[in-house]
Amino acid sequence: MAINLCLTGKPTKEVAQELDIRPELIRRWKREHEQYREGSFSGYGNANLTNEQKEIVRLKKELRDTKEERDILKKAVRIFSKGDGKYSDS
């Protein structure tokens, strides 16, 4: 609502007084709206991320999952190869 009022040309200070909120807050909202457009104001503590940032998050999760799988497989190899001397820990 505050951003819509500002987009109609109403000064930020006037909108802040009408809504009884700080002008700095409205300025921050305006910046977020300009930067993210339809992705702005996601709410519930969700960060607004660019496509590149989303890709980085996805890749980090994939790497973490892959490392976990690797570690599980290493342990399985150690367990199943105990005593036969075919495999080493490295």
Side-chain angles (χ1 to χ4, degrees):
M1 180 176 157
I3 299 303
N4 291 337
L5 289 171
C6 289
L7 293 176
T8 63
K10 209 172 218 184
T12 302
K13 201 171 198 175
E14 189 177 319
V15 172
Q17 287 173 344
E18 284 181 23
L19 298 175
D20 195 30
I21 55 178
R22 297 186 332 261
E24 300 82 32
L25 186 58
I26 294 178
R27 286 188 202 98
R28 190 185 94 206
W29 291 343
K30 282 172 63 174
R31 277 192 313 273
E32 184 176 333
H33 178 71
E34 289 168 4
Q35 183 176 6
Y36 296 107
R37 295 288 177 204
E38 69 277 346
S40 58
F41 314 115
S42 59
Y44 303 109
N46 298 326
N48 291 315
L49 304 174
T50 64
N51 288 336
E52 291 83 11
Q53 290 170 326
K54 288 177 186 175
E55 179 70 4
I56 290 170
V57 168
R58 186 190 69 76
L59 290 171
K60 283 182 177 181
K61 181 186 181 319
E62 186 177 331
L63 178 61
R64 186 176 57 246
D65 292 347
T66 303
K67 284 181 176 181
E68 184 178 343
E69 290 171 6
R70 179 206 58 201
D71 293 342
I72 290 169
L73 289 172
K74 278 184 175 181
K75 288 178 185 177
V77 166
R78 270 190 244 127
I79 290 169
F80 290 117
S81 64
K82 276 188 179 177
D84 67 4
K86 292 181 181 177
Y87 301 99
S88 66
D89 283 351
S90 54

